Amino acid sequence: MKKVVDVITMGCSKNLVDSEQLLHLFRKAGFRIYHNPETLHGGTAVVNTCGFIGDAKEESINMILDLVNRKEEGEIEQVFVMGCLSERYRQELHEEIPQVDRFYGKFDWRAMLTDLVGDAVPTCGHERVLTTPQNYAYVKISEGCDRHCAYCAIPLMTGHHISRPMEEILQEVTELVNRGVHEFQVIAQELTYYGLDLYGYQRIAELVEAMARIPGVEWIRLHYAYPNAFPLDLLRVMRENDNVCKYLDIALQHINDNVLSRMRRNTSRRNTIALLHTIRREVPGICLRTTLMVGFPGETESEFRELLEFVRDTRFERMGAFAYSEEEGTYAAEHYEDDVPDSVKQQRLDQLMGLQEEIAAEIAAERVGKCCRVVVDREEGDYYVCRSEWDSPEVDCEVLIPRQGNNLQTGCFYDVRITDAEEFDLYATPVL
């Protein structure tokens, strides 16, 4: 067997961190490693699957089937499957796709090395091969979730919330800084819960403040907060530390009280609006990203209209949305009828995202003529592709700076003035 492996990552950045650790183990065992290659290299192919919602599951299954076909045609020698989808459906997948050489779940994938080379799995701690641009990395601070929202299957795959020790996280950040990383995307299924299981109380504010004190940390960006029991001391940390981005990814899902109750979100319209007002008051200029859901069982037209008005009034700087997908084993699947037709779900989704596009365009236009700090991610065509502190990689806006007449370095930070705006991208010129 060729000592070469192609690792293909599906789904979220939390999966990406697992793939990066797996790549490190393969490299340590003497393999040539590739991540998301355009062309497979003939050895072992590993797909790290996502099992979040129907579309993600279908995409992962299609990738598995494609790899199996390539194996049967002799392009590759083995196919291994890991991640959330195989954690939840390992037996079913094995029965349906027996051509896969072996399935692993969300947490036992390190055994892959033992199965391949017959030796004990080498230890790696938090070491990994970075697949992101050199200037930024994702830092996963916990696994699992104790918030049992009615629609969500993630706790069925990842189990209870388990925080990483603070000292371990800070050591990882320090080591990444020494490798040239200066921007950190702090990720968890629910980061505001951090520390409760280890220390008896929420310590996300302490963790972020300690990260901010590490020399060389330029930006810290926070993803996937929960609105119920939000730790308000985190707002002081964001306000007082210039290297903590004025950015918060907080999934709200809905605003109607009846829908929130059926979703088992443990919050209300009144509390949600009060929290958003507090966040914007305590952290002036903050960029709020949220995720919303349409078509939850029983969602009426008037409840959807209330959601539309909420988005119109709140004017989120960043927003994503998706249609409800029934997931077996969840509370919603067992207790509610999926009674909103798919055509209505799609219509509502299109209407909601259409409204957000208008809002995003207006907010972008308001930034023309203003200055901000950006980091250069890459060169592409005639432009340097950059991001501001209000832009997370892959999901948010980009700031484009003409290459002609400018000499910028990838991974470096620059002060720029916004000169023009499109719906989702800004144009800028360096401030000399």
Side-chain angles (χ1 to χ4, degrees), residues 8 12 77 81 94 98 111 145 159 164 177 186 192 196 200 214 260 291 294-295 398:
I8 300 161
C12 68
E77 297 186 9
V81 176
H94 175 71
C145 185
R164 292 176 59 195
V177 168
V186 179
T192 53
L196 197 58
I214 295 175
L260 289 171
T291 304
V294 299
E398 293 176 325

PDB file of all heavy atoms in Angstrom, residues 8 12 77 81 94 98 111 145 159 164 177 186 192 196 200 214 260 291 294-295 398:
ATOM      1  N   ILE A   8     -10.375  14.434   3.247  1.00  0.00           N
ATOM      2  CA  ILE A   8     -11.397  15.336   2.707  1.00  0.00           C
ATOM      3  C   ILE A   8     -12.334  15.711   3.838  1.00  0.00           C
ATOM      4  O   ILE A   8     -12.930  14.846   4.477  1.00  0.00           O
ATOM      5  CB  ILE A   8     -12.175  14.645   1.570  1.00  0.00           C
ATOM      6  CG1 ILE A   8     -11.200  14.260   0.444  1.00  0.00           C
ATOM      7  CG2 ILE A   8     -13.282  15.534   1.046  1.00  0.00           C
ATOM      8  CD1 ILE A   8     -11.736  13.215  -0.490  1.00  0.00           C
ATOM      9  N   CYS A  12     -18.236  21.637   9.224  1.00  0.00           N
ATOM     10  CA  CYS A  12     -17.842  22.850   9.938  1.00  0.00           C
ATOM     11  C   CYS A  12     -16.359  22.892  10.281  1.00  0.00           C
ATOM     12  O   CYS A  12     -15.613  21.938  10.080  1.00  0.00           O
ATOM     13  CB  CYS A  12     -18.672  22.978  11.210  1.00  0.00           C
ATOM     14  SG  CYS A  12     -18.276  21.706  12.436  1.00  0.00           S
ATOM     15  N   GLU A  77      -6.747   2.966  -3.103  1.00  0.00           N
ATOM     16  CA  GLU A  77      -6.680   1.613  -2.559  1.00  0.00           C
ATOM     17  C   GLU A  77      -7.662   1.375  -1.417  1.00  0.00           C
ATOM     18  O   GLU A  77      -8.167   0.262  -1.267  1.00  0.00           O
ATOM     19  CB  GLU A  77      -5.256   1.327  -2.086  1.00  0.00           C
ATOM     20  CG  GLU A  77      -4.236   1.354  -3.223  1.00  0.00           C
ATOM     21  CD  GLU A  77      -2.860   0.936  -2.765  1.00  0.00           C
ATOM     22  OE1 GLU A  77      -2.728   0.457  -1.617  1.00  0.00           O
ATOM     23  OE2 GLU A  77      -1.909   1.097  -3.549  1.00  0.00           O
ATOM     24  N   VAL A  81     -13.994   6.256   6.523  1.00  0.00           N
ATOM     25  CA  VAL A  81     -15.000   7.276   6.818  1.00  0.00           C
ATOM     26  C   VAL A  81     -14.990   7.559   8.307  1.00  0.00           C
ATOM     27  O   VAL A  81     -14.964   6.638   9.135  1.00  0.00           O
ATOM     28  CB  VAL A  81     -16.405   6.810   6.371  1.00  0.00           C
ATOM     29  CG1 VAL A  81     -17.460   7.840   6.772  1.00  0.00           C
ATOM     30  CG2 VAL A  81     -16.442   6.586   4.865  1.00  0.00           C
ATOM     31  N   HIS A  94     -22.426   0.988   7.238  1.00  0.00           N
ATOM     32  CA  HIS A  94     -21.687  -0.245   6.961  1.00  0.00           C
ATOM     33  C   HIS A  94     -22.541  -1.216   6.154  1.00  0.00           C
ATOM     34  O   HIS A  94     -22.049  -1.887   5.227  1.00  0.00           O
ATOM     35  CB  HIS A  94     -21.252  -0.896   8.275  1.00  0.00           C
ATOM     36  CG  HIS A  94     -20.588  -2.233   8.094  1.00  0.00           C
ATOM     37  ND1 HIS A  94     -19.325  -2.370   7.560  1.00  0.00           N
ATOM     38  CD2 HIS A  94     -21.023  -3.500   8.366  1.00  0.00           C
ATOM     39  CE1 HIS A  94     -19.010  -3.648   7.504  1.00  0.00           C
ATOM     40  NE2 HIS A  94     -20.030  -4.353   7.982  1.00  0.00           N
ATOM     41  N   PRO A  98     -20.918  -1.349   2.045  1.00  0.00           N
ATOM     42  CA  PRO A  98     -19.896  -2.257   2.594  1.00  0.00           C
ATOM     43  C   PRO A  98     -18.540  -2.120   1.912  1.00  0.00           C
ATOM     44  O   PRO A  98     -17.540  -2.652   2.419  1.00  0.00           O
ATOM     45  CB  PRO A  98     -20.513  -3.643   2.336  1.00  0.00           C
ATOM     46  CG  PRO A  98     -21.431  -3.447   1.172  1.00  0.00           C
ATOM     47  CD  PRO A  98     -21.989  -2.070   1.338  1.00  0.00           C
ATOM     48  N   ALA A 111      -7.652   5.697  16.057  1.00  0.00           N
ATOM     49  CA  ALA A 111      -7.368   4.277  15.849  1.00  0.00           C
ATOM     50  C   ALA A 111      -7.070   3.960  14.390  1.00  0.00           C
ATOM     51  O   ALA A 111      -6.561   2.885  14.066  1.00  0.00           O
ATOM     52  CB  ALA A 111      -8.548   3.436  16.337  1.00  0.00           C
ATOM     53  N   CYS A 145     -22.506  19.370  23.474  1.00  0.00           N
ATOM     54  CA  CYS A 145     -23.463  20.411  23.828  1.00  0.00           C
ATOM     55  C   CYS A 145     -24.501  19.857  24.802  1.00  0.00           C
ATOM     56  O   CYS A 145     -25.015  18.753  24.618  1.00  0.00           O
ATOM     57  CB  CYS A 145     -24.159  20.919  22.560  1.00  0.00           C
ATOM     58  SG  CYS A 145     -25.278  22.306  22.846  1.00  0.00           S
ATOM     59  N   GLY A 159     -22.383  14.184  22.091  1.00  0.00           N
ATOM     60  CA  GLY A 159     -22.496  13.952  23.521  1.00  0.00           C
ATOM     61  C   GLY A 159     -22.506  15.225  24.346  1.00  0.00           C
ATOM     62  O   GLY A 159     -22.720  16.325  23.834  1.00  0.00           O
ATOM     63  N   ARG A 164     -12.151  21.931  27.245  1.00  0.00           N
ATOM     64  CA  ARG A 164     -10.715  21.675  27.348  1.00  0.00           C
ATOM     65  C   ARG A 164     -10.144  22.513  28.495  1.00  0.00           C
ATOM     66  O   ARG A 164     -10.603  23.637  28.729  1.00  0.00           O
ATOM     67  CB  ARG A 164     -10.010  22.068  26.056  1.00  0.00           C
ATOM     68  CG  ARG A 164     -10.346  21.190  24.862  1.00  0.00           C
ATOM     69  CD  ARG A 164      -9.664  21.727  23.618  1.00  0.00           C
ATOM     70  NE  ARG A 164      -8.218  21.776  23.758  1.00  0.00           N
ATOM     71  CZ  ARG A 164      -7.406  22.464  22.951  1.00  0.00           C
ATOM     72  NH1 ARG A 164      -7.922  23.186  21.959  1.00  0.00           N
ATOM     73  NH2 ARG A 164      -6.098  22.453  23.137  1.00  0.00           N
ATOM     74  N   VAL A 177       1.133  30.984  17.798  1.00  0.00           N
ATOM     75  CA  VAL A 177       1.759  32.289  17.572  1.00  0.00           C
ATOM     76  C   VAL A 177       3.212  32.085  17.142  1.00  0.00           C
ATOM     77  O   VAL A 177       3.705  32.745  16.215  1.00  0.00           O
ATOM     78  CB  VAL A 177       1.682  33.159  18.841  1.00  0.00           C
ATOM     79  CG1 VAL A 177       2.588  34.380  18.700  1.00  0.00           C
ATOM     80  CG2 VAL A 177       0.248  33.609  19.095  1.00  0.00           C
ATOM     81  N   VAL A 186     -12.115  31.388  17.673  1.00  0.00           N
ATOM     82  CA  VAL A 186     -12.460  30.543  18.819  1.00  0.00           C
ATOM     83  C   VAL A 186     -13.797  29.869  18.526  1.00  0.00           C
ATOM     84  O   VAL A 186     -14.807  30.538  18.299  1.00  0.00           O
ATOM     85  CB  VAL A 186     -12.536  31.369  20.113  1.00  0.00           C
ATOM     86  CG1 VAL A 186     -12.922  30.485  21.302  1.00  0.00           C
ATOM     87  CG2 VAL A 186     -11.192  32.051  20.380  1.00  0.00           C
ATOM     88  N   THR A 192     -20.281  29.878  25.087  1.00  0.00           N
ATOM     89  CA  THR A 192     -20.579  30.580  26.337  1.00  0.00           C
ATOM     90  C   THR A 192     -20.718  29.610  27.509  1.00  0.00           C
ATOM     91  O   THR A 192     -20.687  30.021  28.661  1.00  0.00           O
ATOM     92  CB  THR A 192     -21.872  31.405  26.206  1.00  0.00           C
ATOM     93  OG1 THR A 192     -22.928  30.569  25.741  1.00  0.00           O
ATOM     94  CG2 THR A 192     -21.680  32.534  25.213  1.00  0.00           C
ATOM     95  N   LEU A 196     -18.019  25.426  32.543  1.00  0.00           N
ATOM     96  CA  LEU A 196     -19.021  25.042  33.545  1.00  0.00           C
ATOM     97  C   LEU A 196     -18.799  23.621  34.040  1.00  0.00           C
ATOM     98  O   LEU A 196     -18.949  23.333  35.229  1.00  0.00           O
ATOM     99  CB  LEU A 196     -20.422  25.195  32.954  1.00  0.00           C
ATOM    100  CG  LEU A 196     -21.589  25.244  33.939  1.00  0.00           C
ATOM    101  CD1 LEU A 196     -21.428  26.394  34.924  1.00  0.00           C
ATOM    102  CD2 LEU A 196     -22.907  25.393  33.186  1.00  0.00           C
ATOM    103  N   GLY A 200     -17.097  24.633  37.335  1.00  0.00           N
ATOM    104  CA  GLY A 200     -18.314  24.925  38.078  1.00  0.00           C
ATOM    105  C   GLY A 200     -18.962  26.243  37.716  1.00  0.00           C
ATOM    106  O   GLY A 200     -20.027  26.563  38.255  1.00  0.00           O
ATOM    107  N   ILE A 214      -1.597  37.185  25.407  1.00  0.00           N
ATOM    108  CA  ILE A 214      -0.458  36.467  24.841  1.00  0.00           C
ATOM    109  C   ILE A 214       0.183  37.324  23.746  1.00  0.00           C
ATOM    110  O   ILE A 214      -0.494  37.744  22.806  1.00  0.00           O
ATOM    111  CB  ILE A 214      -0.919  35.110  24.251  1.00  0.00           C
ATOM    112  CG1 ILE A 214      -1.445  34.207  25.375  1.00  0.00           C
ATOM    113  CG2 ILE A 214       0.226  34.430  23.510  1.00  0.00           C
ATOM    114  CD1 ILE A 214      -2.034  32.905  24.876  1.00  0.00           C
ATOM    115  N   LEU A 260     -40.083  29.794  19.709  1.00  0.00           N
ATOM    116  CA  LEU A 260     -38.951  29.584  20.608  1.00  0.00           C
ATOM    117  C   LEU A 260     -39.276  28.533  21.659  1.00  0.00           C
ATOM    118  O   LEU A 260     -38.430  27.704  22.014  1.00  0.00           O
ATOM    119  CB  LEU A 260     -38.560  30.898  21.283  1.00  0.00           C
ATOM    120  CG  LEU A 260     -37.899  31.948  20.388  1.00  0.00           C
ATOM    121  CD1 LEU A 260     -37.773  33.271  21.123  1.00  0.00           C
ATOM    122  CD2 LEU A 260     -36.526  31.470  19.913  1.00  0.00           C
ATOM    123  N   THR A 291     -27.829  33.194  13.076  1.00  0.00           N
ATOM    124  CA  THR A 291     -28.426  32.190  12.203  1.00  0.00           C
ATOM    125  C   THR A 291     -29.887  32.039  12.588  1.00  0.00           C
ATOM    126  O   THR A 291     -30.215  31.981  13.780  1.00  0.00           O
ATOM    127  CB  THR A 291     -27.717  30.833  12.349  1.00  0.00           C
ATOM    128  OG1 THR A 291     -26.324  30.998  12.098  1.00  0.00           O
ATOM    129  CG2 THR A 291     -28.279  29.825  11.373  1.00  0.00           C
ATOM    130  N   VAL A 294     -36.336  28.915   9.346  1.00  0.00           N
ATOM    131  CA  VAL A 294     -37.718  29.068   8.896  1.00  0.00           C
ATOM    132  C   VAL A 294     -38.338  27.684   8.736  1.00  0.00           C
ATOM    133  O   VAL A 294     -37.634  26.686   8.545  1.00  0.00           O
ATOM    134  CB  VAL A 294     -37.813  29.838   7.567  1.00  0.00           C
ATOM    135  CG1 VAL A 294     -37.249  31.239   7.708  1.00  0.00           C
ATOM    136  CG2 VAL A 294     -37.099  29.081   6.446  1.00  0.00           C
ATOM    137  N   GLY A 295     -39.658  27.641   8.802  1.00  0.00           N
ATOM    138  CA  GLY A 295     -40.368  26.394   8.545  1.00  0.00           C
ATOM    139  C   GLY A 295     -40.349  25.396   9.665  1.00  0.00           C
ATOM    140  O   GLY A 295     -40.629  24.205   9.443  1.00  0.00           O
ATOM    141  N   GLU A 398     -15.506  40.178   2.177  1.00  0.00           N
ATOM    142  CA  GLU A 398     -14.079  40.363   1.939  1.00  0.00           C
ATOM    143  C   GLU A 398     -13.826  41.797   1.512  1.00  0.00           C
ATOM    144  O   GLU A 398     -14.714  42.463   0.974  1.00  0.00           O
ATOM    145  CB  GLU A 398     -13.586  39.388   0.876  1.00  0.00           C
ATOM    146  CG  GLU A 398     -13.632  37.948   1.347  1.00  0.00           C
ATOM    147  CD  GLU A 398     -13.247  36.937   0.289  1.00  0.00           C
ATOM    148  OE1 GLU A 398     -13.562  37.177  -0.896  1.00  0.00           O
ATOM    149  OE2 GLU A 398     -12.633  35.922   0.652  1.00  0.00           O
TER     150      GLU A 398
END
